[in-house]
Amino acid sequence: MTTINDIAKMANVSRTTVSRVLNNGYASEDVRKRIMRVVEETGYIPSLSAKSLRTKKSGVIGVILPKISTETASRVVSGINEVVAKKDFQILLTDTELDKQKEIDYIRLLQSRHVDGIILLATNVNKQLTDTIEAAGLPFISLGQDLPGVTSIVYDDYHAASDVINMLVSHNHQKIAFIGVGEEDPSVGKLRRMGYLDTLTKYNLSIKEEWMAEGDFSIESGYECAKKIIKNSEGELPSAIFAVTDRMAIGAMEYLREQGFNIPDDIAVAGIGASTMSKHISPSLTTVDYFNKEAGEKAAQLLLAQMKKKKEKEKFIQTYRLIIRDSV
Amino acid sequence: MTTINDIAKMANVSRTTVSRVLNNGYASEDVRKRIMRVVEETGYIPSLSAKSLRTKKSGVIGVILPKISTETASRVVSGINEVVAKKDFQILLTDTELDKQKEIDYIRLLQSRHVDGIILLATNVNKQLTDTIEAAGLPFISLGQDLPGVTSIVYDDYHAASDVINMLVSHNHQKIAFIGVGEEDPSVGKLRRMGYLDTLTKYNLSIKEEWMAEGDFSIESGYECAKKIIKNSEGELPSAIFAVTDRMAIGAMEYLREQGFNIPDDIAVAGIGASTMSKHISPSLTTVDYFNKEAGEKAAQLLLAQMKKKKEKEKFIQTYRLIIRDSV
DNA sequence: CTGAAAGCGCTTACAG
DNA sequence: CTGAAAGCGCTTACAG
């Protein structure tokens, strides 16, 4: 491999000067030309590890994902990448596979790799996690969960869920079933459920155990939850099902369709996420658009800003939009 | 930041010994314990840039994607990540956004970042690209395109397309339209088109210009292509449409549905890709499963093997599976 | 405008 | 089993 020393020798200058020229420092026209010619000829590529060791900056930002092969994640990453790539940063990607311990491990790992900042899509909130973030002392953005002491961008889960129920009620639904996920996940599990429950209460609608089920984000679990709800509530079927994610909503639709229910006439369905699929299945699914890509962009911008100068921790709430389609 | 020198001082040993202990070299029980205690207490995290500078290994593998927010890409990355993460490698992700020049730029960039190997999902094949790969002198895998002189894993595009046509013919279709993409893309653009054309020829079926259209991978372009085909072929409509990607097939279905065509009775549709959507739209889409995740895993395994010891360049063909569903 | 020197945080022969 | 020394490829005061 050719190094800066080789270039210096070949161009008959010191390596100091080579470094300067390459980093846009001063140099006489003559010297600059000589150096650039050698660089071209040799195809010299500076070692970023050496540079990073010296400057304490790597030009890499770490992204920690709960699951890589998910539409939400890939939209977010795409948004992040779009803004950081423009500033010549790359993304070091890690995937926790929904394993909480790995969130912590990866923060430490990314730290050891000298990333200039981290964006975390957490699935839970706990003390050990926030402590690790604190200890890392890196520019840090949490996306999707409100982490104490950490700059966070969150979706407005409570109001989004609440709005879905409002909309369902305005379509004359009184019996609204619910497919949620575990409460370890404060955003998707807790807040969306609270939005559902509180809004039912606001309208004096009955909340029934039999109309609530808990899935695990997958399409299959949505299917199973719908089955469970329908089975358990013989005699008094719900007239609508609200699932906290599109995938589970789509699974539910599948079950309902199989059982001969007409959507939305017999049972309406709504989800959250505005997945591509939600638009293209039939009937098209009523859902909430969270603008994941924009959230990713924003996270990246905030991170970049934080890298430039230390900032107060802040909290941001992403807007969302209810998309009413044929499933209600 | 605490460094190896701090640890050495606090544990009263040389940094040589600290390094040895941390890398599982010899050390007396006593010394090892002393060091580990200090490491725990301080939360010491070794600098991987320093290590990488010294050892010429980074523990990072570079992945170059044409487009990050695509189901194929995210499946592949997920497969790659699954195998490399087990060996404690991370992925440095780059996205060319379909820009050919960036494929080249990113190879050089990844090289400068001292990645231990690169997996490229190319969208085209040209001399400059293969030259750059050659010059990088890194373990390298091409996934999805057959790159001369580079170990490549390719999908069996020709036969997959051909099999789709065989299947369509066996369902008594004689008038088969085609939605393709540009031929700059040897795999998706050229091979799949050839599979289509050759197989029609084999059955002595007519090939009509009006029944062929070119999209750009997007759902919308599939919609437009279907529109164009239907418009242009008044009098003699095709009885089936084969789109070279699921997304375009889904766009086509949308147009057909809008126009009141019954799928598959009036016009059958088939795609390639086995996207999640293909399974959940209705009618469900007949398609070809390329096992993208497995391809990613294989690419990662080959890369890891290549990193261990230099290998001959090899060519691998991924298997595929035709999935016949309700759209034909 | 240019260069000699120091140093970033590690690892690895080499010697003991 | 342990340590002193050299070196990986850069950048950056400092001096001229």
Side-chain angles (χ1 to χ4, degrees), chain A residues 198-217:
Chain A
D198 290 358
T199 311
L200 286 193
T201 306
K202 186 180 93 185
Y203 290 113
N204 271 315
L205 299 178
S206 49
I207 294 168
K208 301 209 178 197
E209 268 302 323
E210 314 91 77
W211 290 349
M212 297 179 68
E214 187 175 309
D216 65 1
F217 292 89

Side-chain angles (χ1 to χ4, degrees), chain A residues 22-291:
Chain A
L22 261 23
N23 295 292
N24 291 316
Y26 290 116
S28 65
E29 244 339 85
D30 174 43
V31 166
R32 150 172 276 114
K33 266 187 195 147
R34 238 159 54 217
I35 292 176
M36 290 318 285
R37 219 170 56 89
V38 176
V39 167
E40 304 259 307
E41 281 173 14
T42 54
Y44 166 65
I45 299 181
S47 157
L48 256 24
S49 351
K51 183 168 186 164
S52 150
L53 174 59
R54 183 58 227 246
T55 59
K56 304 290 165 204
K57 302 198 175 311
S58 62
V60 172
I61 74 148
V63 174
I64 305 177
L65 257 31
K67 200 154 188 306
I68 214 165
S69 57
T70 229
E71 196 170 355
T72 309
S74 79
R75 283 178 180 170
V76 168
V77 173
S78 157
I80 295 173
N81 189 61
E82 219 157 83
V83 352
V84 302
K86 275 191 196 120
K87 305 283 179 185
D88 289 324
F89 283 83
Q90 268 70 54
I91 290 178
L92 196 62
L93 202 68
T94 60
D95 181 350
T96 66
E97 288 155 20
L98 276 340
D99 176 343
K100 288 160 224 252
Q101 182 52 41
K102 282 198 183 164
E103 292 184 354
I104 302 202
D105 294 345
Y106 278 139
I107 292 171
R108 292 172 60 89
L109 177 90
L110 290 172
Q111 187 188 353
S112 77
R113 289 208 181 281
H114 290 280
V115 299
D116 295 333
I118 295 180
I119 295 174
L120 167 69
L121 275 69
T123 58
N124 70 108
V125 174
N126 62 64
K127 183 86 170 49
Q128 208 199 339
L129 180 63
T130 50
D131 283 353
T132 309
I133 295 172
E134 168 89 40
L138 245 39
F140 205 107
I141 308 286
S142 164
L143 179 50
Q145 300 283 359
D146 185 359
L147 292 186
V150 180
T151 297
S152 307
I153 301 175
V154 294
Y155 301 111
D156 198 351
D157 291 293
Y158 182 85
H159 290 106
S162 172
D163 272 8
V164 170
I165 305 303
N166 282 329
M167 177 272 303
L168 251 17
V169 170
S170 79
H171 280 67
N172 296 316
H173 290 286
Q174 311 260 350
K175 306 173 185 174
I176 304 173
F178 178 81
I179 299 178
V181 300
E183 305 224 348
E184 322 77 71
D185 185 322
S187 297
V188 185
K190 235 179 197 157
L191 286 175
R192 295 187 194 176
R193 177 183 307 245
M194 278 174 52
Y196 162 78
L197 292 174
D198 290 358
T199 311
L200 286 193
T201 306
K202 186 180 93 185
Y203 290 113
N204 271 315
L205 299 178
S206 49
I207 294 168
K208 301 209 178 197
E209 268 302 323
E210 314 91 77
W211 290 349
M212 297 179 68
E214 187 175 309
D216 65 1
F217 292 89
S218 69
I219 295 181
E220 293 68 32
S221 76
Y223 181 100
E224 293 303 327
C225 286
K227 182 193 264 181
K228 193 176 144 204
I229 289 169
I230 299 300
K231 291 251 155 103
N232 286 346
S233 53
E234 299 196 30
E236 190 165 21
L237 286 175
S239 72
I241 297 182
F242 165 44
V244 299
T245 71
D246 276 5
R247 293 175 69 85
M248 294 195 298
I250 286 164
M253 282 174 70
E254 217 133 277
Y255 176 77
L256 295 177
R257 216 184 297 128
E258 268 182 36
Q259 298 299 309
F261 289 100
N262 179 353
I263 304 169
D265 292 344
D266 298 331
I267 299 188
V269 178
I272 287 186
S275 60
T276 310
M277 236 194 296
S278 71
K279 186 175 170 188
H280 297 282
I281 48 166
S282 53
S284 55
L285 177 66
T286 289
T287 185
V288 174
D289 191 351
Y290 265 1
F291 304 105

Side-chain angles (χ1 to χ4, degrees), chain B residues 28-308:
Chain B
S28 66
E29 243 340 85
D30 173 43
V31 165
R32 150 172 275 115
K33 267 188 194 144
R34 241 161 50 219
I35 292 177
M36 290 318 284
R37 218 170 56 88
V38 176
V39 168
E40 304 259 307
E41 280 173 14
T42 54
Y44 166 64
I45 299 181
S47 157
L48 255 25
S49 350
K51 184 168 185 164
S52 151
L53 174 59
R54 183 57 226 246
T55 60
K56 305 290 164 204
K57 301 197 176 312
S58 62
V60 173
I61 74 148
V63 174
I64 304 176
L65 258 31
K67 200 156 190 304
I68 214 165
S69 55
T70 230
E71 196 170 356
T72 309
S74 79
R75 283 178 181 170
V76 168
V77 173
S78 158
I80 295 173
N81 188 63
E82 218 157 84
V83 352
V84 301
K86 274 192 197 119
K87 305 284 180 184
D88 289 324
F89 283 83
Q90 268 71 53
I91 291 179
L92 195 63
L93 202 67
T94 59
D95 181 350
T96 65
E97 288 154 19
L98 277 337
D99 176 343
K100 287 159 224 250
Q101 182 52 41
K102 281 197 182 165
E103 292 184 352
I104 301 199
D105 294 345
Y106 279 138
I107 293 171
R108 294 172 58 90
L109 178 90
L110 291 172
Q111 187 188 355
S112 76
R113 289 210 181 282
H114 288 281
V115 299
D116 294 333
I118 295 179
I119 295 174
L120 167 68
L121 275 70
T123 58
N124 70 108
V125 174
N126 62 63
K127 184 87 170 47
Q128 208 198 339
L129 180 64
T130 49
D131 283 352
T132 309
I133 295 172
E134 168 89 40
L138 245 40
F140 205 107
I141 308 287
S142 163
L143 179 49
Q145 301 283 0
D146 185 358
L147 292 186
V150 180
T151 297
S152 307
I153 302 175
V154 294
Y155 302 111
D156 198 351
D157 291 293
Y158 181 86
H159 290 105
S162 172
D163 272 9
V164 170
I165 306 302
N166 282 328
M167 178 272 303
L168 252 16
V169 169
S170 79
H171 281 67
N172 296 316
H173 291 286
Q174 312 259 351
K175 306 173 185 174
I176 304 174
F178 178 82
I179 299 177
V181 300
E183 305 224 345
E184 322 76 73
D185 185 323
S187 297
V188 185
K190 234 178 198 157
L191 285 175
R192 296 188 194 175
R193 176 182 308 244
M194 278 173 53
Y196 163 77
L197 292 174
D198 288 359
T199 312
L200 286 193
T201 305
K202 185 180 92 186
Y203 289 113
N204 271 315
L205 298 178
S206 48
I207 295 169
K208 299 208 178 198
E209 268 304 323
E210 314 91 77
W211 289 349
M212 297 181 68
E214 188 174 309
D216 65 2
F217 291 91
S218 69
I219 295 181
E220 293 69 32
S221 76
Y223 181 99
E224 293 304 326
C225 285
K227 182 194 263 182
K228 193 176 145 205
I229 289 169
I230 299 300
K231 292 251 154 104
N232 286 346
S233 51
E234 298 195 31
E236 189 164 22
L237 287 174
S239 71
I241 298 182
F242 165 44
V244 299
T245 72
D246 276 6
R247 295 175 67 85
M248 295 194 297
I250 286 164
M253 282 174 70
E254 218 134 277
Y255 176 77
L256 295 177
R257 217 184 296 128
E258 268 182 36
Q259 297 299 309
F261 289 101
N262 179 354
I263 304 169
D265 293 343
D266 298 332
I267 300 188
V269 178
I272 288 186
S275 60
T276 310
M277 236 195 297
S278 71
K279 186 174 170 189
H280 296 283
I281 48 166
S282 53
S284 56
L285 178 65
T286 289
T287 185
V288 175
D289 191 351
Y290 265 1
F291 305 104
N292 300 109
K293 188 172 173 189
E294 286 74 7
E297 291 170 8
K298 176 150 197 183
Q301 283 154 357
L302 286 173
L303 190 70
L304 257 22
Q306 223 176 90
M307 281 160 41
K308 278 198 185 151

